[in-house]
Short mmCIF file of all heavy atoms in Angstrom, two decimals:
data_model
loop_
_atom_site.label_atom_id
_atom_site.label_comp_id
_atom_site.label_asym_id
_atom_site.label_seq_id
_atom_site.Cartn_x
_atom_site.Cartn_y
_atom_site.Cartn_z
N LYS A 29 32.78 -6.99 25.17
CA LYS A 29 32.82 -7.39 26.58
C LYS A 29 31.64 -6.79 27.34
O LYS A 29 31.04 -7.45 28.21
CB LYS A 29 34.13 -6.93 27.22
CG LYS A 29 35.37 -7.66 26.72
CD LYS A 29 36.61 -7.17 27.45
CE LYS A 29 37.86 -7.91 26.99
NZ LYS A 29 39.07 -7.44 27.69
N ILE A 30 31.32 -5.55 27.02
CA ILE A 30 30.22 -4.87 27.71
C ILE A 30 28.89 -5.58 27.45
O ILE A 30 28.14 -5.90 28.38
CB ILE A 30 30.15 -3.39 27.28
CG1 ILE A 30 31.36 -2.63 27.84
CG2 ILE A 30 28.85 -2.76 27.77
CD1 ILE A 30 31.51 -1.23 27.29
N TYR A 31 28.60 -5.85 26.19
CA TYR A 31 27.31 -6.48 25.87
C TYR A 31 27.26 -7.94 26.34
O TYR A 31 26.19 -8.44 26.69
CB TYR A 31 27.02 -6.38 24.37
CG TYR A 31 26.40 -5.04 24.01
CD1 TYR A 31 27.17 -4.03 23.46
CD2 TYR A 31 25.06 -4.79 24.26
CE1 TYR A 31 26.60 -2.80 23.14
CE2 TYR A 31 24.49 -3.57 23.96
CZ TYR A 31 25.26 -2.57 23.40
OH TYR A 31 24.70 -1.35 23.11
N SER A 32 28.41 -8.57 26.38
CA SER A 32 28.46 -9.93 26.92
C SER A 32 28.07 -9.93 28.40
O SER A 32 27.33 -10.80 28.86
CB SER A 32 29.87 -10.51 26.75
OG SER A 32 29.96 -11.80 27.32
N PHE A 33 28.54 -8.93 29.14
CA PHE A 33 28.19 -8.82 30.56
C PHE A 33 26.73 -8.42 30.71
O PHE A 33 26.02 -8.93 31.59
CB PHE A 33 29.09 -7.80 31.26
CG PHE A 33 28.99 -7.85 32.77
CD1 PHE A 33 29.89 -8.59 33.52
CD2 PHE A 33 27.98 -7.16 33.44
CE1 PHE A 33 29.78 -8.63 34.91
CE2 PHE A 33 27.86 -7.21 34.81
CZ PHE A 33 28.77 -7.94 35.55
N LEU A 34 26.26 -7.51 29.86
CA LEU A 34 24.88 -7.06 29.94
C LEU A 34 23.89 -8.20 29.79
O LEU A 34 22.80 -8.18 30.37
CB LEU A 34 24.61 -5.99 28.88
CG LEU A 34 25.15 -4.58 29.15
CD1 LEU A 34 25.00 -3.70 27.92
CD2 LEU A 34 24.45 -3.95 30.34
N GLU A 35 24.26 -9.22 29.03
CA GLU A 35 23.36 -10.36 28.80
C GLU A 35 23.02 -11.08 30.10
O GLU A 35 21.98 -11.73 30.19
CB GLU A 35 24.00 -11.33 27.81
CG GLU A 35 24.04 -10.79 26.38
CD GLU A 35 24.71 -11.76 25.42
OE1 GLU A 35 25.25 -12.78 25.90
OE2 GLU A 35 24.70 -11.48 24.21
N ASN A 36 23.90 -10.96 31.09
CA ASN A 36 23.66 -11.63 32.37
C ASN A 36 23.47 -10.65 33.53
O ASN A 36 23.48 -11.05 34.69
CB ASN A 36 24.83 -12.57 32.69
CG ASN A 36 24.96 -13.68 31.66
OD1 ASN A 36 24.04 -14.47 31.49
ND2 ASN A 36 26.08 -13.74 30.97
N THR A 37 23.31 -9.38 33.19
CA THR A 37 23.15 -8.35 34.22
C THR A 37 21.80 -8.49 34.94
O THR A 37 20.78 -8.72 34.30
CB THR A 37 23.27 -6.95 33.59
OG1 THR A 37 24.63 -6.74 33.19
CG2 THR A 37 22.86 -5.86 34.57
N GLU A 38 21.83 -8.34 36.25
CA GLU A 38 20.61 -8.39 37.05
C GLU A 38 20.31 -7.05 37.73
O GLU A 38 19.18 -6.77 38.09
CB GLU A 38 20.73 -9.48 38.11
CG GLU A 38 20.87 -10.88 37.52
CD GLU A 38 21.21 -11.91 38.57
OE1 GLU A 38 22.36 -11.92 39.05
OE2 GLU A 38 20.31 -12.71 38.92
N VAL A 39 21.37 -6.23 37.89
CA VAL A 39 21.21 -4.90 38.48
C VAL A 39 21.99 -3.90 37.61
O VAL A 39 23.17 -4.09 37.36
CB VAL A 39 21.76 -4.84 39.92
CG1 VAL A 39 21.61 -3.44 40.49
CG2 VAL A 39 21.04 -5.85 40.80
N PHE A 40 21.29 -2.86 37.14
CA PHE A 40 21.90 -1.83 36.31
C PHE A 40 21.86 -0.51 37.07
O PHE A 40 20.78 -0.05 37.45
CB PHE A 40 21.16 -1.71 34.98
CG PHE A 40 21.70 -0.65 34.06
CD1 PHE A 40 22.78 -0.92 33.22
CD2 PHE A 40 21.14 0.62 34.03
CE1 PHE A 40 23.27 0.06 32.35
CE2 PHE A 40 21.62 1.60 33.16
CZ PHE A 40 22.69 1.32 32.33
N ILE A 41 23.04 0.08 37.28
CA ILE A 41 23.13 1.32 38.04
C ILE A 41 23.80 2.39 37.17
O ILE A 41 24.93 2.21 36.72
CB ILE A 41 23.92 1.14 39.35
CG1 ILE A 41 23.27 0.05 40.21
CG2 ILE A 41 24.01 2.45 40.12
CD1 ILE A 41 24.06 -0.29 41.47
N SER A 42 23.08 3.47 36.93
CA SER A 42 23.58 4.57 36.11
C SER A 42 23.88 5.77 37.00
O SER A 42 23.02 6.20 37.78
CB SER A 42 22.53 4.95 35.05
OG SER A 42 22.91 6.11 34.35
N ILE A 43 25.11 6.32 36.87
CA ILE A 43 25.54 7.41 37.78
C ILE A 43 26.17 8.55 36.98
O ILE A 43 27.14 8.35 36.25
CB ILE A 43 26.55 6.89 38.81
CG1 ILE A 43 25.97 5.73 39.61
CG2 ILE A 43 26.98 8.02 39.76
CD1 ILE A 43 26.98 5.03 40.50
N GLY A 44 25.61 9.73 37.12
CA GLY A 44 26.23 10.92 36.54
C GLY A 44 26.24 10.97 35.03
O GLY A 44 27.15 11.57 34.45
N THR A 45 25.27 10.36 34.39
CA THR A 45 25.20 10.37 32.93
C THR A 45 23.77 10.59 32.48
O THR A 45 22.83 10.13 33.14
CB THR A 45 25.76 9.08 32.33
OG1 THR A 45 25.65 9.12 30.90
CG2 THR A 45 25.06 7.86 32.86
N SER A 46 23.60 11.28 31.37
CA SER A 46 22.27 11.60 30.87
C SER A 46 21.59 10.43 30.18
O SER A 46 20.38 10.45 29.95
CB SER A 46 22.36 12.77 29.88
OG SER A 46 23.08 12.38 28.72
N ASN A 47 22.38 9.41 29.80
CA ASN A 47 21.87 8.28 29.01
C ASN A 47 21.25 8.75 27.69
O ASN A 47 20.30 8.16 27.18
CB ASN A 47 20.83 7.48 29.82
CG ASN A 47 21.49 6.56 30.82
OD1 ASN A 47 22.26 5.68 30.48
ND2 ASN A 47 21.22 6.80 32.10
N ASN A 48 21.83 9.83 27.14
CA ASN A 48 21.37 10.36 25.86
C ASN A 48 22.36 10.12 24.73
O ASN A 48 21.99 10.25 23.56
CB ASN A 48 21.11 11.87 25.97
CG ASN A 48 19.84 12.20 26.73
OD1 ASN A 48 18.89 11.43 26.72
ND2 ASN A 48 19.83 13.34 27.41
N VAL A 49 23.61 9.81 25.07
CA VAL A 49 24.66 9.67 24.07
C VAL A 49 24.93 8.18 23.82
O VAL A 49 25.23 7.44 24.74
CB VAL A 49 25.95 10.38 24.52
CG1 VAL A 49 27.05 10.23 23.47
CG2 VAL A 49 25.68 11.86 24.79
N TYR A 50 24.81 7.79 22.57
CA TYR A 50 25.03 6.39 22.20
C TYR A 50 26.50 6.14 21.92
O TYR A 50 27.24 7.06 21.57
CB TYR A 50 24.17 6.04 20.98
CG TYR A 50 22.71 5.91 21.32
CD1 TYR A 50 21.90 7.04 21.37
CD2 TYR A 50 22.14 4.68 21.64
CE1 TYR A 50 20.56 6.94 21.72
CE2 TYR A 50 20.80 4.57 21.98
CZ TYR A 50 20.02 5.70 22.02
OH TYR A 50 18.69 5.59 22.36
N PRO A 51 26.97 4.89 22.15
CA PRO A 51 26.18 3.69 22.42
C PRO A 51 25.79 3.46 23.88
O PRO A 51 24.96 2.60 24.15
CB PRO A 51 27.10 2.56 21.94
CG PRO A 51 28.46 3.08 22.20
CD PRO A 51 28.39 4.56 21.89
N ALA A 52 26.36 4.21 24.82
CA ALA A 52 26.04 3.98 26.23
C ALA A 52 24.55 4.15 26.50
O ALA A 52 23.97 3.43 27.33
CB ALA A 52 26.84 4.92 27.12
N ALA A 53 23.91 5.07 25.78
CA ALA A 53 22.48 5.29 25.97
C ALA A 53 21.66 4.07 25.58
O ALA A 53 20.51 3.92 26.01
CB ALA A 53 22.03 6.50 25.15
#
C-alpha cells in the first residue's frame, strides 16, 4: 500500500526520523 501511494506522491514530508533505517529510509 505504501509503495502504491508513493508512485503518485507529489509532496513527501519527513518528520522526526533519521531516514537511516530501512525500508523507510
Side-chain angles (χ1 to χ4, degrees):
K29 291 182 179 180
I30 290 170
Y31 277 101
S32 177
F33 192 95
L34 284 171
E35 289 178 353
N36 297 300
T37 290
E38 297 171 287
V39 179
F40 179 85
I41 303 175
S42 173
I43 303 171
T45 179
S46 66
N47 282 300
N48 286 330
V49 180
Y50 287 84

